[in-house]
């Protein structure tokens, strides 16, 4: 079984943990993030050979390389359960090739129609199996409360993944008014007796900061243990068990491109990812570190361009930065949690430097990295941003030219790839959500209606589901997933809105646990 153990980015955990411990803890004491002690290497032969396997077995190979300390039987059960009939395509994440050597890696064929399913169909299985293992080893007695901050997609994927899982309750916080109608209904109609959803007055950063503050509250942790025999954990990409599955699809994509004759074996590719919290593009970095022939990582931002500015300057500054609502709300993020892992790797794993920068960010809302770390970042990454009008224009242009309909997040990545790529380098674009999750803005794009313009009266009166049906009729792209088309027929279960401060979150958590008994 696994040999690689896990350390934390801020150095608070003195003894490395096994994977099972890291995935159940989620976040390290002191706020650090878990990373593997070393990054496993795969040969080009190993990587290309993955194409001969079904996706579940590709994932199992990668997980085993990262030291997952579960038996082959347990790992096989996890991966086959995660990547099977719950996806609408047996390839799990198929690729559609567009003119110009652009390959759309479609990560939205899972049950909630967003890329978060690629990890969150797996994480709950990792979590419950790991918790059972730790109980059997005498290392765990508590049940768990999963607390999730979402900008729209993680919430539903986490709720779906943890729904009715024994020994686990899950609470999700989303920015009230900051998600699409479809995203809201996906969360608010969630089935299951162990789930709860709260709108938060504020933006995603308020949700995420509040959650991190609660995680870092030792007194609250003790009270949960004493009163409810509950420990907190996370399903956000701060949990390594959530990030690791994302590495798989980048390694897998390269293998598939070679197998399909789209890329010559050994030829380097670029990867362009729309990102706000830095987790999805960080997974591509780890795939590169493992040996996948990725030349450059293209970081695509929307108008909340904090990551683009950081990559281009070495200074992360949100001290006076306005939060902008965009057509791509899942990227409307200013505090990019997973950047911490990348900086840890680029500093030679200097936990003191990471702790210092994260303290600066918390206290003064800015930090500046040293010259060598900045140079390392520039060597790996190129970055650009797309404004709201360009995002909508890209959706229309690509559909009219190529007949391919994409969501606004994917459009941001496509446009950045178009700008930053070199003509002779194939590029994989991470397509992160089905277009029907954001029908309002897709309709605007196709009809040339700006964000600040009113939709026609008969259109503005439509629900998200009704609008998607209209778009499907108009475009002939009639592939709205059942999970999205049924939402109008489901009862709304959760409408509570809370403040985003730690006290309000703790009160909501306790009320939920009291209700559950």
């Amino acid at each position: 079984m696994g040999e690689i153990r896990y350390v934390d980015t801020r150095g608070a955990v003195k003894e490395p943990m096994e994977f099972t411990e890291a995935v159940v803890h989620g976040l390290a004491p002191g706020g650090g993030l878990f990373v593997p002690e070393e990054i496993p290497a795969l040969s080009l032969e190993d990587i290309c050979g993955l194409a001969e396997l079904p996706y579940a077995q590709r994932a199992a190979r990668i997980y085993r390389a990262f030291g997952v300390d579960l038996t082959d039987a347990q790992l096989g059960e996890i991966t086959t359960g995660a990547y099977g009939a719950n996806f609408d395509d047996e390839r799990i994440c198929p690729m559609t090739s567009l003119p110009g050597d652009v390959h759309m890696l479609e990560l939205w064929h899972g049950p909630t129609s967003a890329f978060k399913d690629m990890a969150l169909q797996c994480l709950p299985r990792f979590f419950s199996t790991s918790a059972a293992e730790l109980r059997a080893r005498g290392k765990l007695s508590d049940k768990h409360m999963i607390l999730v901050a979402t900008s729209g997609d993680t919430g539903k994927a986490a709720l779906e993944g943890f729904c009715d899982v024994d020994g686990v309750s899950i609470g999700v916080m989303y920015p009230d008014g900051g998600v699409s109608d479809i995203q809201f209904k996906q969360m608010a109609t969630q089935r299951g007796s162990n789930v709860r959803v709260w709108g938060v007055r504020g933006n995603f950063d308020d949700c995420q900061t509040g959650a991190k503050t609660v995680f870092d509250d030792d007194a609250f942790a003790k009270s949960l243990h004493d009163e409810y025999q509950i420990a907190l954990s996370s399903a956000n990409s701060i949990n390594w068990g959530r990030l690791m599955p994302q590495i798989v699809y980048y390694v897998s994509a390269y293998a598939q491109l070679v197998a399909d004759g789209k890329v010559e074996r050994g030829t380097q590719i670029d990867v362009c990812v729309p990102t706000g919290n830095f987790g999805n593009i960080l997974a591509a970095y780890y795939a590169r570190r493992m040996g996948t022939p990725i030349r450059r990582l293209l970081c695509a931002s929307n108008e909340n361009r904090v990551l683009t500015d950081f990559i281009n300057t070495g200074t992360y500054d949100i001290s006076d930065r306005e939060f902008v609502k965009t057509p791509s709300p899942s990227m409307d993020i200013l505090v990019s949690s997973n950047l911490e892992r990348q900086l840890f790797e680029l500093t030679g794993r200097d936990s003191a430097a990471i702790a210092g920068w994260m303290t600066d960010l918390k206290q003064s809302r800015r930090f500046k990295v040293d010259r060598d770390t900045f140079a390392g970042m520039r060597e790996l990454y190129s970055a650009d941003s797309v404004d709201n009008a360009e995002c909508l224009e890209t959706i229309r242009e690509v559909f009219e030219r190529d007949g391919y309909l994409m969501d606004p997040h994917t459009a941001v990545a496509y446009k950045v790839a178009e700008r930053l790529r070199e003509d002779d380098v194939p590029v994989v674009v991470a397509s992160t959500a089905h277009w029907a999750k954001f029908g309002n803005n897709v309709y605007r794009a196709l009809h040339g209606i700006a964000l600040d313009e009113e939709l026609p009266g008969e259109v503005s009166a439509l629900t998200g589901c009704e609008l998607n049906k209209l778009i499907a009729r108009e475009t002939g792209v009639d592939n709205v997933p059942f999970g999205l088309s049924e939402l109008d027929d489901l009862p709304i279960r959760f409408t509570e809105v809370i403040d985003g401060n730690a006290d309000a979150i703790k009160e909501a958590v306790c009320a939920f646990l009291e209700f559950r008994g």
Side-chain angles (χ1 to χ4, degrees):
M1 288 194 292
E3 296 177 358
I4 293 176
R5 294 164 73 85
Y6 287 78
V7 297
D8 101 88
T9 52
R10 301 187 195 179
V13 177
K14 302 307 180 186
E15 290 295 324
M17 291 185 176
E18 293 180 330
F19 170 83
T20 46
E21 296 174 289
V23 76
V24 169
H25 283 286
L27 191 67
L33 308 183
F34 289 110
V35 294
E37 277 185 306
E38 59 185 272
I39 309 303
L42 297 178
S43 68
L44 187 58
E45 182 179 0
D46 290 335
I47 291 168
C48 293
L50 292 174
E52 300 173 4
L53 304 174
Y55 190 88
Q57 291 181 33
R58 298 180 194 185
R61 290 276 180 93
I62 302 297
Y63 299 159
R64 183 62 77 210
F66 276 103
V68 173
D69 55 317
L70 298 171
T71 67
D72 289 342
Q74 289 171 321
L75 194 52
E77 185 176 351
I78 287 169
T79 55
T80 55
Y83 306 115
N86 47 342
F87 281 73
D88 65 19
D89 191 302
E90 64 180 8
R91 295 167 295 178
I92 306 303
C93 50
M95 278 180 286
T96 297
S97 295
L98 299 182
D101 222 359
V102 177
H103 308 281
M104 310 301 292
L105 177 59
E106 295 179 350
L107 302 171
W108 38 260
H109 288 272
T112 76
S113 304
F115 82 100
K116 306 300 175 72
D117 290 325
M118 297 299 299
L120 282 165
Q121 284 297 294
C122 206
L123 175 61
R125 293 172 167 87
F126 270 141
F127 192 96
S128 58
T129 304
S130 295
E133 276 294 305
L134 294 179
R135 289 190 184 97
R137 300 174 195 172
K139 293 184 176 182
L140 184 69
S141 57
D142 287 350
K143 295 182 178 181
H144 282 84
M145 169 75 190
I146 307 292
L147 186 61
V148 178
T150 184
S151 53
D153 287 336
T154 290
K156 172 59 178 179
L159 290 163
E160 189 72 20
F162 280 100
C163 175
D164 291 330
V165 170
D166 287 342
V168 176
S169 300
I170 178 169
V172 167
M173 301 179 292
Y174 69 92
D176 184 41
V179 298
S180 74
D181 177 61
I182 290 288
Q183 287 176 312
F184 165 73
K185 286 179 178 174
Q186 280 189 299
M187 292 184 282
T189 61
Q190 175 65 47
R191 302 170 176 90
S193 61
N194 66 331
V195 303
R196 182 60 56 94
V197 178
W198 303 287
V200 169
R201 298 179 186 95
N203 57 43
F204 171 74
D205 290 320
D206 297 315
C207 300
Q208 181 168 248
T209 300
K212 284 183 174 180
T213 302
V214 170
F215 281 126
D216 206 26
D217 188 329
D218 292 338
F220 184 60
K222 185 177 186 305
S223 69
L224 288 180
H225 170 77
D226 292 346
E227 288 190 46
Y228 307 105
Q229 291 73 57
I230 289 284
L232 284 177
S233 191
S234 173
N236 286 92
S237 55
I238 56 177
N239 190 317
W240 177 260
R242 162 70 192 283
L243 182 69
M244 182 178 64
Q246 296 179 263
I247 300 170
V248 178
Y249 50 73
Y250 292 113
V251 183
S252 173
Y254 186 86
Q256 198 62 55
L257 286 172
V258 173
D260 292 345
K262 302 289 180 66
V263 170
E264 187 175 343
R265 180 170 170 162
T267 297
Q268 289 189 314
I269 63 171
D270 287 344
V271 173
C272 188
V273 185
T275 189
N277 217 17
F278 208 75
N280 201 1
I281 199 165
L282 179 67
Y285 161 80
Y286 280 118
R288 185 183 189 273
R289 281 281 303 274
M290 293 183 78
T292 307
I294 295 172
R295 187 189 69 110
R296 288 193 71 72
L297 301 164
L298 311 180
C299 179
S301 300
N302 61 19
E303 288 193 18
N304 293 294
R305 48 174 290 140
V306 62
L307 284 168
T308 292
D309 290 342
F310 171 73
I311 290 168
N312 291 331
T313 68
T315 299
Y316 196 102
D317 191 347
I318 56 173
S319 59
D320 192 30
R321 185 181 291 267
E322 181 182 359
F323 182 93
V324 182
K325 289 188 176 182
T326 75
S328 48
S330 297
M331 298 162 63
D332 289 348
I333 296 169
L334 296 183
V335 180
S336 302
S337 290
N338 270 290
L339 183 60
E340 179 171 339
R341 283 187 170 109
Q342 181 66 84
L343 296 177
F344 184 67
E345 303 293 354
L346 291 177
T347 57
R349 303 194 150 202
D350 185 343
S351 56
I354 300 305
W357 290 333
M358 294 304 107
T359 298
D360 289 344
L361 181 61
K362 185 175 182 178
Q363 294 179 349
S364 61
R365 308 282 284 170
R366 72 186 302 275
F367 66 88
K368 182 176 182 178
V369 299
D370 61 90
R371 183 180 300 176
D372 289 344
T373 302
F374 178 51
M377 201 77 189
R378 295 290 296 168
E379 184 178 339
L380 291 165
Y381 290 90
S382 298
D384 203 352
S385 65
V386 174
D387 67 31
N388 292 344
E390 290 173 312
C391 172
L392 299 184
E393 287 167 7
T394 301
I395 294 172
R396 185 181 72 253
E397 288 172 3
V398 174
F399 179 71
E400 290 178 351
R401 185 185 67 227
D402 302 323
Y404 189 80
L405 190 56
M406 59 181 67
D407 90 293
H409 305 77
T410 305
V412 168
Y414 184 93
K415 191 65 176 180
V416 168
E418 192 174 60
R419 288 179 186 161
L420 296 182
R421 65 175 301 214
E422 295 179 9
D423 291 340
D424 59 342
V425 180
V427 62
V428 168
V429 175
S431 179
T432 54
H434 192 283
W435 65 263
K437 294 202 74 164
F438 305 95
N440 182 294
N441 288 320
V442 170
Y443 184 89
R444 288 179 180 277
L446 295 174
H447 289 267
I449 302 171
L451 289 175
D452 58 357
E453 294 182 55
E454 294 288 334
L455 290 173
E458 66 278 10
V459 175
S460 65
L462 298 177
T463 66
C465 295
E466 292 167 340
L467 183 55
N468 284 339
K469 291 178 183 176
L470 174 61
I471 295 169
R473 287 198 303 271
E474 290 183 345
T475 61
V477 183
D478 190 13
N479 66 342
V480 178
F482 176 74
L484 301 184
S485 61
E486 69 165 346
L487 291 172
D488 281 352
D489 300 323
L490 300 178
I492 299 293
R493 296 183 62 198
F494 306 111
T495 58
E496 184 180 1
V497 179
I498 65 174
D499 290 332
N501 60 70
D503 287 342
I505 295 170
K506 288 187 284 189
E507 183 178 337
V509 166
C510 290
F512 173 41
L513 294 175
E514 288 283 355
F515 172 78
R516 289 214 70 201

